């Protein structure tokens, strides 16, 4: 049994320093975002920055408390935390208060509490616990099924609250699975799916058929490594396409280009199959399966986009892809957000000098769009520093996760890394027009007690686990 | 221990670094390279102007204008943009005091420095014209155009309802509304709010240092057009409505007239009423105060909200239920000995000898209906009085009594037809007998029915057995449709063939019965008198009628509070309404003069 040492000396103070600086910067920017001449005191608890200060102080108390608790408790009670959280998520559906279309808040007078924020770390604990108790790899069908269940149940409950943004966060657990041994194809598949989704909505139909042919070409090349055959296949497709288009032109047929190209693609594949059979080239059928899968996906995107997604979600994707410069206000908001950030220039306009962020041009200025204030008042340098703080914190946590000796701590660490990364990427991404408008907070920066506390708890549990890494196996 | 997948940390790390580098590159582009965004931001005096669509107009069934719009101008202020200005000139043009300016500015500042507040509501177009000239001198002020309601005919105030400013609760419920917006508070204005209001538009402008609008922001790319509200065509007949209000002048009560075949409301009068123009614009709150304190309660919509015992008119329903249940036939007779007497119990009446079915309606015989009602309740088929009662109640409810009809008028009252457990509680379970409830046979006792429900009941008889939910809107001239529920026919639980004898009885009422005061030259009117007992004073006079007998075009209920017996006031009023509607003239000026001259309020 290792000797008990002073826990404070074991804490990773670099992480804590990064945390403190982000929380402090967040607070200052909330002050700037809601600043108004009549209420100047930053300690005014009637205003958001005053309230945020209370949340910060309480968050530090919670952090302290988490650190003094025995590190083994988090692993021991992981499933209990998870179960309690599920009960709260069901409870909020039944008894919660509806705010702006989402039923995701418990209302206690002036204090509101959002269980979805806390569900993230509870899910991470249960996830880590399950992985740590398995002998085999996470990639066995059984383990994978249980882990997906652990992640999808809270995600589904949150989806029922109509809080799509918070539910999407759970998708990021795929990164943790990848680290723990899930095949790398999932990442390729995820990226490919996203790309194809965008292509399906952006590209013209003939372009889409060509893209599908290219996807088949590259997947065959990647799978078999046979450049020559791949090129022959592509040339056959090109030739047949040219012939078909030319013939249609000459004969004055009304047939749509995409139909001609599709016929060419089908014929090319037939030739391809025959040739490969003769030359005994492997992996041809896999490539054709990829093609079929991708085609099916493309056609279903159209359906999902128009039939499954809700109007505001469609609008956000349209705005992001530049298909729709404005329907109602979404386009205007993102545009204003970019104007606010863009007007910051190199060094920004200075503390409290931002004009764009004050006139309610940008919605949710102190919560989801807090990064606008940073961009406008602190300029390129300021916003780069904030991005770098996130990178530093995430990489530091990555490093800490890797030095854990217990798989529970390591997996939990990766969960923290992934969740932080997802929030940062989506939140900042949406303010600069690189991600769709998904209402999730910027960790440690956005106004709100639930979010700040949840991220604090999530982070400090890991700091605590790391501090006792010598004891935990 | 070396984890076989440890190298994957590099892949994850690279994803994080890659995304972050993309962000920094994007930030560099937005903040350092892209000049357009800085230009957009430099014009930071941007103004968001809401385009208020004009509210839809309201017409009567012949497209006579009932509700019109009139332009009004609200002076708005954004406190943060206010620079020191010439208060003397400002006050002189707007005819306000210096104190007013200070108070309103303080109020606006307390609300928000950045958001516009209404500084002064509804300034006249003359003042607006003068003020517009010098507006540039008053930075932070601007004028927002709005429309106000205007009523060319001072009628149907209760039906049309009124428009008022939204309160915080409404804003919380529907984010479409912003502080200072108008919304329909009652009547058609409320129930057809969505059609009438249209959709607000938004325009973004750039303004110069003098606060003058220079150009539209980003070529109007983010602007949205306002959509004008849809016009609404009501089912009201403005002439009949006007005439009804005239007849009811100086009387308390109501008239509800319905086209039986369609359920369209032709007139809905609640008296005393008020001129709807009183509740418009800046005078509204003062007038509202005055009206709500009036002891004659002109704001109270008696037609929908007042509950009276239906009196003898309810005998029609009991007759129909009796026929349907087979406890009587059109051949049944009962003896009336100047009342209905059982042991010590006596309910007065004024006939003698055998009374047959038609005579019972014609002469409104209490004894006859006491017998019918008791037979319905004591019917052996149901085993007990409470089951017999429950069955009776089921029939009554099918006439639309004791429940909201579900019209498109706001604030319908349910009325009251007691449930079985009401009597169980009152007398004890199984301890009540049909005799104890016998006053309900003649429409007295616990029953409570609104004039609106009574008119609908009359329409049912006119239709020989069905009704369409009475409604006030015929057509919406816009993308909205009227609710299909108003087209469906609702049949009562009484078979259509039982209605004809009752209709014959109603015809006799007017020809040679209790309701001869409703006789109308050249028109076969079917009616029934009623008297609602009033414990507080003179009884209320009730008359229900429809005409013509075959292919009826109008069914109505008339209530005159403290009017005594049904035939005295309500009968003639119903007759004049029918004559007016069916012939467009009045051939009996003397009768009309008597009604118009009557003042039943003087006491």
């Amino acid at each position: 049994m290792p000797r008990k040492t002073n826990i404070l000396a074991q804490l990773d103070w670099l992480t804590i320093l990064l945390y403190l600086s982000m929380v402090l910067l967040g607070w200052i920017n909330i002050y700037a975002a809601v600043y108004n001449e009549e209420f100047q005191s930053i300690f005014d608890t009637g205003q958001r920055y005053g309230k945020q200060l209370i949340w910060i102080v309480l968050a530090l108390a919670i952090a302290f408390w988490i650190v003094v608790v025995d590190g083994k408790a988090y692993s021991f009670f992981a499933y209990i935390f998870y179960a309690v959280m599920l009960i709260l998520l069901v409870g909020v559906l039944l008894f919660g208060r509806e705010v702006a279309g989402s039923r995701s808040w418990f209302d206690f007078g002036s204090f509101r509490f959002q269980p979805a924020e806390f569900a993230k770390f509870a899910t991470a604990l249960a996830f880590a616990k399950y992985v740590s108790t398995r002998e085999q790899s996470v990639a066995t069908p059984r383990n994978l099924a249980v882990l997906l269940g652990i992640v999808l149940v809270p995600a589904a409950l949150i989806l029922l609250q109509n809080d799509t943004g918070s539910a999407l966060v759970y998708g990021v657990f795929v990164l943790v699975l990848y680290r723990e041994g899930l095949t790398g194809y999932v990442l390729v598949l995820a990226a490919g799916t996203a790309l194809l989704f965008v292509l399906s909505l952006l590209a013209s139909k003939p372009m889409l058929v060509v893209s599908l042919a290219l996807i088949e070409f590259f997947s065959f090349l990647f799978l078999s490594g046979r450049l020559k055959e791949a090129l022959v296949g592509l040339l056959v497709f090109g030739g047949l396409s040219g012939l078909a288009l030319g013939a249609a032109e000459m004969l004055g047929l009304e047939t749509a280009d995409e139909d001609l190209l599709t016929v060419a693609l089908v014929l090319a594949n037939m030739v391809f199959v025959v040739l490969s059979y003769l030359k005994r080239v492997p992996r041809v059928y896999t490539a054709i399966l990829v093609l079929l899968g991708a085609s099916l996906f493309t056609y279903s995107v159209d359906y999902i986009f128009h039939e499954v997604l809700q109007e505001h979600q469609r609008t956000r994707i349209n705005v992001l892809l530049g298909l729709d410069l404005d329907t109602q206000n979404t386009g205007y908001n993102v545009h204003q957000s970019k104007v606010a950030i863009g007007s910051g220039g190199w060094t920004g306009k200075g503390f409290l000098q931002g004009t764009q962020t004050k006139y309610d041009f940008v919605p949710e200025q102190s919560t989801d769009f807090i990064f606008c204030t940073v961009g406008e008042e602190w300029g390129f340098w300021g916003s780069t520093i904030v991005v770098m703080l996130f990178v530093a914190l995430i990489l530091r946590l990555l490093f800490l996760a890797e030095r854990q000796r217990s798989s529970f701590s390591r997996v939990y660490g990766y969960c923290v890394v992934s969740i932080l990364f997802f929030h940062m990427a989506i939140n900042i991404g949406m303010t600069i027009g690189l991600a769709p408008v998904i209402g999730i907070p910027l960790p440690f920066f956005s106004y709100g007690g639930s979010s700040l506390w949840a991220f604090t708890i999530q982070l400090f549990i890991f700091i605590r686990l790391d501090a006792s890494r010598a004891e935990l196996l | 221990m070396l984890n076989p997948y440890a190298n994957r940390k590099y892949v994850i790390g690279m994803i994080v670094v890659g995304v972050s580098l993309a962000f920094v590159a994007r930030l560099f582009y937005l903040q350092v390279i892209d000049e357009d965004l800085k230009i957009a931001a430099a014009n930071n005096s941007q103004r968001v102007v809401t385009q208020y669509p004009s509210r839809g107009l309201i017409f009567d069934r012949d497209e006579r204008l009932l509700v019109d719009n009139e332009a009004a101008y609200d002076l708005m202020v954004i406190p943060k943009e206010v620079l020191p200005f010439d208060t003397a000139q400002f006050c002189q043009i707007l005819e306000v005091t210096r104190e007013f300016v200070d108070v309103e500015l303080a109020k606006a500042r307390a609300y928000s420095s950045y958001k516009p507040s209404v500084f002064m509501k509804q300034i006249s177009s003359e003042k607006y014209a003068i003020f517009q000239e010098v507006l540039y001198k008053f930075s932070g002020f601007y004028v927002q155009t709005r429309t106000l309601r205007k009523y060319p005919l001072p009628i149907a105030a209760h039906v049309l309802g009124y428009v008022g400013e939204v309160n915080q609760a409404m804003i919380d419920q529907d984010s479409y509304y912003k502080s200072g917006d108008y919304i329909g508070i009652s009547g058609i204005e409320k129930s057809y709010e969505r059609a009438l209001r249209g959709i607000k538009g938004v325009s973004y402008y750039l303004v110069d240092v003098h606060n003058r609008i220079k150009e539209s922001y980003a070529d109007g790319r983010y602007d949205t057009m306002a959509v004008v509200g849809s016009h609404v065509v009501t089912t009201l007949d403005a002439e009949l409505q006007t005439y009804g209000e005239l007849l009811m002048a100086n009387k308390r009560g109501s008239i509800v007239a319905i086209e039986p075949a369609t359920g369209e409301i032709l007139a809905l009068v609640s008296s005393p009423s008020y001129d709807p123009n009183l509740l418009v614009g800046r005078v509204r709150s003062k007038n509202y105060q005055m009206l709500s304190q009036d002891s004659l309660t002109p704001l109270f919509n008696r037609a929908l909200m007042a509950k009276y015992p239906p009196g003898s008119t309810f005998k029609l329903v009991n007759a129909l239920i009796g026929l349907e249940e087979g406890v009587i036939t059109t051949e049944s007779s009962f003896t009336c000995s100047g009342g209905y007497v059982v042991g010590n119990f006596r309910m007065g009446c004024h006939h003698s000898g055998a009374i047959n079915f038609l005579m019972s309606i014609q002469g409104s015989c209490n004894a006859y209906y006491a017998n019918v009602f008791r037979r319905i309740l004591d019917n052996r088929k149901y085993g007990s009085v409470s089951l017999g009662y429950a069955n009776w109640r089921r029939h009554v409810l099918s006439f639309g009594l004791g429940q909201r009809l579900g019209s498109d008028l706001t604030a319908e009252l349910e009325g009251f037809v007691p449930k079985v457990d009401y009597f169980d509680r009152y007398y004890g379970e199984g301890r009540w007998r049909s005799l104890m409830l016998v006053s309900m046979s003649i429409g007295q006792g616990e029953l409570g029915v609104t004039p609106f429900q009574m008119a609908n009941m009359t329409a049912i008889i006119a239709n020989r057995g069905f009704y369409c939910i009475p409604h006030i809107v015929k057509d919406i001239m816009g993308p909205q449709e009227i609710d299909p529920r108003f087209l469906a026919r609702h049949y009562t639980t009484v078979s259509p063939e039982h209605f004809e004898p009752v209709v014959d009885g109603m015809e006799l009422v007017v020809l040679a019965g209790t309701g001869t005061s409703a006789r109308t030259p050249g028109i076969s009117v079917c009616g029934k008198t009623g008297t609602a007992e009033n414990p507080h004073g003179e009884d209320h006079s009730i008359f229900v009628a429809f005409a013509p007998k075959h292919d009826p075009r109008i069914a109505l209920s008339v209530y005159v509070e403290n009017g005594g017996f049904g035939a005295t006031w309500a009968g003639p009023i119903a007759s004049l309404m029918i004559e007016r509607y069916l012939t467009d003239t009045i051939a009996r000026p003397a009768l009309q003069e008597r009604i118009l001259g009557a003042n039943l309020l003087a006491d």
Side-chain angles (χ1 to χ4, degrees):
Chain A
M1 178 113 182
R3 188 172 49 93
K4 282 261 180 202
T5 48
N6 181 4
I7 186 67
L8 291 182
Q10 300 295 318
L11 296 178
D12 186 62
W13 285 98
L14 178 57
T15 306
I16 296 177
L17 197 67
L18 285 168
Y19 164 80
L20 289 175
S21 50
M22 288 164 101
V23 168
L24 185 69
L25 284 176
W27 182 47
I28 290 172
N29 281 296
I30 291 169
Y31 178 64
V34 287
Y35 175 77
N36 149 346
E37 276 112 22
E38 281 119 59
F39 310 99
Q40 296 197 350
S41 165
I42 197 167
F43 301 109
D44 184 342
T45 56
Q47 299 295 314
R48 286 194 155 186
Y49 37 85
K51 286 185 188 152
Q52 183 74 359
L53 182 62
I54 298 175
W55 305 138
I56 291 173
V57 170
L58 292 172
L60 294 179
I62 293 170
F64 178 77
W65 187 77
I66 286 171
V67 165
V68 289
V69 168
D70 188 340
K72 294 191 199 69
Y74 302 110
S75 159
F76 190 78
F77 291 117
Y79 289 144
I80 296 189
F81 280 129
Y82 182 72
V84 169
M85 218 37 79
L86 288 186
I87 291 168
L88 285 178
L89 286 177
V90 172
V92 83
L93 275 176
L94 299 176
F95 311 112
R97 185 185 131 108
E98 193 160 323
V99 177
S102 308
R103 188 180 291 280
S104 46
W105 297 86
F106 278 122
D107 214 344
F108 305 104
S110 63
F111 173 72
R112 292 195 318 202
F113 163 77
Q114 192 181 12
E117 288 295 337
F118 296 89
K120 280 175 268 193
F121 84 83
T123 308
L125 282 175
F127 191 91
K129 172 85 173 180
Y130 185 78
V131 174
S132 69
T133 54
R134 294 296 113 178
E135 300 277 314
Q136 319 94 317
S137 144
V138 296
T140 65
R142 192 192 127 86
N143 287 349
L144 213 50
V146 174
L147 287 171
L148 280 180
I150 289 177
V151 171
L152 290 182
V153 170
L157 288 172
I158 292 168
L159 209 56
L160 285 179
Q161 296 167 11
N162 212 2
D163 185 358
T164 322
S166 296
L168 283 175
V169 175
Y170 289 83
V172 84
F173 277 86
V174 76
L175 271 184
V176 187
L177 284 174
Y178 167 70
R179 167 61 185 83
E180 292 305 312
L182 191 67
T183 164
Y185 288 132
V186 290
L187 296 188
V188 179
L189 198 68
T193 311
L195 189 70
L196 205 56
F197 184 80
V198 173
L199 266 182
S200 317
L201 297 176
L202 272 189
S204 64
K205 279 182 176 162
M207 272 308 294
L208 207 55
V209 181
V210 174
S211 309
L212 287 170
L214 287 174
I215 285 171
E216 188 189 11
F217 168 75
F218 282 113
S219 53
F220 174 70
L221 191 62
F222 179 69
L223 290 165
S224 69
R226 305 283 274 267
L227 182 62
K228 207 180 102 194
E229 282 79 3
L231 279 177
V232 169
L234 200 61
L235 279 175
V236 171
F237 169 63
L240 285 172
S241 302
L243 269 175
L245 291 174
E249 182 75 20
M250 298 250 292
L251 298 172
L253 290 178
E254 293 288 313
T255 323
D257 289 353
E258 61 265 26
D259 293 339
L260 296 172
L261 288 173
T262 309
V263 171
L265 186 57
V266 171
L267 288 175
N269 266 296
M270 287 177 174
V271 176
F272 190 43
V273 168
V274 173
L275 284 179
S276 335
Y277 179 75
L278 296 174
K279 299 177 84 178
R280 300 186 203 289
V281 179
R283 304 283 190 170
V284 171
Y285 296 106
T286 325
I288 290 176
L289 272 181
V290 170
L291 173 71
L292 285 177
S295 311
L296 202 66
F297 177 79
T298 310
Y299 287 107
S300 55
V301 160
D302 194 58
Y303 175 79
I304 291 171
F305 189 73
H306 290 109
E307 306 293 327
V308 179
L309 290 188
Q310 290 174 25
E311 184 59 40
H312 66 277
Q313 294 165 334
R314 237 189 330 269
T315 307
R316 287 166 183 183
I317 291 171
N318 276 337
V319 166
L320 176 72
L321 298 180
L323 289 177
D324 188 350
L325 285 174
D326 181 51
T327 43
Q328 303 299 323
N329 283 320
T330 316
Y332 176 75
N333 292 340
V334 173
H335 180 77
Q336 284 301 337
S337 163
K338 286 197 279 185
V339 167
I341 292 172
S343 69
W346 277 106
T347 53
K349 295 176 186 165
F351 184 47
L352 301 184
Q353 302 305 309
T355 52
Q356 292 305 297
T357 56
K358 285 220 180 59
Y359 291 91
D360 290 330
F361 288 145
V362 183
E364 304 298 327
Q365 185 61 57
S366 58
T367 55
D368 294 348
F369 279 85
I370 189 72
F371 193 74
C372 288
T373 312
V374 179
E376 186 180 12
E377 298 197 345
W378 305 100
F380 176 66
W381 294 120
S383 30
T384 303
I385 286 171
V386 170
V387 173
M388 286 306 147
L389 277 175
F390 273 102
V391 175
L393 179 67
I394 291 169
L395 292 184
R396 179 67 188 168
L397 292 175
L398 204 64
F399 169 76
L400 296 186
E402 285 295 339
R403 77 177 182 188
Q404 300 307 311
R405 292 163 67 187
S406 91
S407 57
F408 174 75
S409 305
R410 182 185 67 240
V411 173
Y412 181 75
Y414 264 94
C415 290
V416 176
V417 163
S418 306
I419 293 168
L420 272 179
F421 172 64
F422 186 83
H423 271 263
M424 182 280 264
I426 292 296
N427 182 287
I428 297 182
M430 82 179 173
T431 60
I432 56 180
L434 288 182
V437 178
I438 292 172
I440 55 174
L442 186 61
F444 313 122
F445 275 77
S446 290
Y447 168 78
S450 289
S451 143
L452 176 65
W453 287 8
F455 279 112
T456 302
I457 293 169
Q458 188 175 312
L459 181 67
F460 275 82
I461 288 179
F462 182 57
I463 292 176
R464 181 65 187 87
L465 292 173
D466 173 64
S468 54
R469 65 187 178 281
E471 308 163 36
L472 296 169
L473 264 178
Chain B
M1 184 184 82
L2 190 71
N3 188 301
Y5 303 111
N7 281 336
R8 290 188 170 185
K9 68 182 174 225
Y10 296 116
V11 175
I12 295 172
M14 270 160 60
I15 293 175
V16 173
V17 172
V19 167
S20 306
L21 285 179
F23 282 4
V24 172
R26 175 72 170 177
L27 285 167
F28 187 77
Y29 172 75
L30 290 179
Q31 299 187 302
V32 180
I33 296 176
D34 194 341
E35 285 298 320
D36 288 356
L37 294 177
K38 273 173 277 302
I39 292 166
N43 297 313
N44 59 25
S45 296
Q46 230 181 73
R47 172 150 341 115
V48 182
V49 178
T50 306
Q51 306 290 343
Y52 288 93
S54 62
R55 206 169 162 84
L57 305 181
I58 303 178
F59 297 92
D60 92 334
R61 62 192 293 117
D62 298 318
E63 302 199 4
R64 274 172 292 218
L65 189 58
L66 296 177
V67 185
D68 197 359
N69 286 323
E70 187 176 42
Y73 307 92
D74 284 357
L75 182 57
M76 310 292 289
V77 64
I78 300 174
K80 201 183 178 335
E81 294 178 2
V82 173
L83 301 173
F85 59 93
D86 180 355
T87 29
Q89 191 190 14
F90 186 85
C91 293
Q92 186 225 325
I93 296 171
L94 294 172
E95 294 169 30
V96 293
T97 60
R98 179 68 204 262
E99 287 73 49
F100 176 84
V101 175
D102 292 340
V103 169
E104 289 302 313
L105 268 180
K107 256 197 248 171
R109 216 169 268 136
Y111 168 64
S112 167
S113 293
Y114 311 109
K115 292 184 195 161
S117 294
V118 180
F119 179 82
M120 197 176 160
K121 253 179 230 167
Q122 295 147 17
I123 53 180
S124 68
S125 30
E126 297 81 40
K127 271 189 216 165
Y128 167 69
I130 303 169
F131 191 71
Q132 187 66 22
E133 297 282 305
V134 291
L135 186 61
Y136 70 92
K137 292 185 183 171
F138 306 110
S139 165
F141 290 92
Y142 69 97
V143 173
Q144 175 94 63
T145 311
R146 304 239 190 188
T147 53
L148 286 184
R149 287 310 217 186
K150 188 176 157 184
Y151 304 87
L153 302 169
I155 57 164
H158 293 106
V159 175
L160 301 173
Y162 60 94
V163 172
E165 225 169 282
V166 290
N167 59 33
Q168 193 56 43
M170 296 165 179
I171 296 172
D172 290 344
Q173 207 168 44
D174 185 345
S175 61
Y176 174 84
Y177 298 100
K178 300 278 176 278
S179 173
D181 282 1
Y182 290 98
I183 188 172
I185 305 282
S186 70
I188 294 175
E189 298 279 17
K190 183 180 181 188
S191 43
Y192 289 89
E193 165 72 10
R194 280 193 176 264
L196 289 167
R197 77 179 182 196
I199 301 169
K200 285 187 285 191
V202 185
S203 302
Y204 300 92
Y205 293 108
L206 298 175
V207 289
D208 64 11
V209 284
H210 297 299
N211 204 30
R212 281 176 299 208
I213 286 174
K214 283 189 71 177
E215 57 183 297
S216 133
Y217 172 67
D219 297 332
R221 208 188 315 168
Y222 301 107
D223 296 358
T224 52
M225 290 278 284
V227 178
V228 181
S230 307
H231 300 327
V232 162
V233 180
T234 67
T235 59
L236 283 182
D237 181 314
E239 284 179 6
L240 188 66
Q241 177 76 24
T242 309
Y243 189 60
E245 291 190 17
L246 209 59
L247 292 175
M248 290 302 286
N250 296 321
K251 298 162 195 73
R252 242 179 305 200
S254 60
I255 304 176
V256 181
I258 296 174
E259 183 175 81
T262 57
E264 291 176 0
I265 298 168
L266 301 170
L268 194 139
V269 179
S270 173
S271 184
S273 185
Y274 59 93
D275 182 343
N277 287 304
L278 289 176
L279 293 187
V280 170
R282 288 202 287 169
V283 291
R284 204 188 86 215
S285 51
K286 196 185 74 198
N287 285 332
Y288 189 87
Q289 185 84 359
M290 180 194 81
L291 290 170
S292 64
Q293 283 169 355
D294 190 329
S295 64
L296 295 172
T297 60
L299 291 174
F300 181 61
N301 188 347
R302 289 175 163 75
L304 296 175
M305 301 282 285
K307 190 172 67 173
Y308 311 87
S312 298
T313 55
F314 192 66
K315 288 173 183 163
L316 300 170
V317 176
N318 276 330
L320 287 162
I321 297 172
L323 291 174
E324 174 69 21
E325 286 294 316
V327 297
I328 53 164
T329 68
T330 51
E331 309 301 319
S332 303
S333 286
F334 293 98
T335 310
C336 178
S337 44
Y340 180 69
V341 186
V342 181
N344 290 333
F345 180 87
R346 181 186 168 81
M347 187 162 77
C349 192
H350 40 74
H351 303 100
S352 57
I355 302 292
N356 68 24
F357 183 78
L358 285 180
M359 287 161 74
S360 77
I361 297 176
Q362 182 186 357
S364 196
C365 177
N366 289 348
Y368 192 94
Y369 286 96
N371 279 299
V372 173
F373 183 70
R374 291 195 64 192
R375 282 195 182 184
I376 298 170
L377 263 56
D378 293 334
N379 195 345
R380 279 167 192 267
K381 202 161 81 182
Y382 299 105
S384 74
V385 178
S386 62
L387 290 176
Y389 178 82
N391 184 56
W392 174 82
R393 183 173 186 272
R394 178 179 65 89
H395 287 300
V396 173
L397 258 49
S398 80
F399 283 81
L401 306 178
Q403 60 195 326
R404 291 193 187 90
L405 291 170
S407 76
D408 47 0
L409 291 163
T410 48
E412 257 185 70
L413 202 70
E414 271 185 333
F416 187 60
V417 180
K419 287 185 185 154
V420 168
D421 57 12
Y422 175 89
F423 296 111
D424 283 346
R425 246 178 300 139
Y426 195 80
Y427 296 108
E429 211 174 315
R431 313 234 331 248
W432 43 284
R433 301 287 170 263
S434 58
L435 187 60
M436 298 174 181
L437 314 187
V438 81
S439 62
M440 287 168 75
S441 68
I442 59 166
Q444 305 294 351
E446 288 82 359
L447 290 172
V449 173
T450 65
F452 187 58
Q453 290 170 329
M454 198 55 108
N456 185 52
M457 183 209 81
T458 313
I460 291 172
I461 300 175
N463 286 335
R464 277 72 167 172
F466 74 87
Y467 69 96
C468 297
I469 298 174
H471 53 280
I472 195 70
V473 168
K474 218 173 142 72
D475 192 16
I476 302 172
M477 296 156 128
Q480 301 87 356
E481 301 268 315
I482 78 158
D483 198 313
R485 76 172 192 273
F486 296 130
L487 304 175
R489 287 183 172 191
H490 297 261
Y491 282 88
T492 66
T493 50
V494 174
S495 317
E497 71 265 21
H498 296 311
F499 282 84
E500 210 53 56
V502 173
V503 170
D504 291 338
M506 287 174 78
E507 189 179 24
L508 285 174
V509 167
V510 177
L511 288 179
T514 55
T516 49
S517 66
R519 234 185 287 173
T520 313
I523 301 168
S524 56
V525 175
C526 302
K528 182 74 193 78
T529 52
T531 308
E533 286 176 1
N534 177 13
H536 310 294
E538 182 87 19
D539 287 346
H540 304 318
S541 172
I542 307 177
F543 199 80
V544 299
F546 65 86
K549 183 184 178 192
H550 299 290
D551 200 10
R553 289 177 50 211
I554 179 170
L556 73 173
S557 74
V558 178
Y559 279 66
V560 180
E561 288 188 16
N562 313 115
F565 177 60
T568 324
W569 296 109
I573 290 174
S575 157
L576 288 169
M577 286 292 282
I578 289 171
E579 183 181 3
R580 175 72 206 225
Y581 182 66
L582 296 182
T583 68
D584 287 329
T585 53
I586 292 296
R588 298 170 292 171
L591 177 68
Q592 176 176 294
E593 279 317 302
R594 183 172 81 86
I595 301 293
L596 291 179
N599 185 345
L600 300 181
L601 295 179
D603 51 22

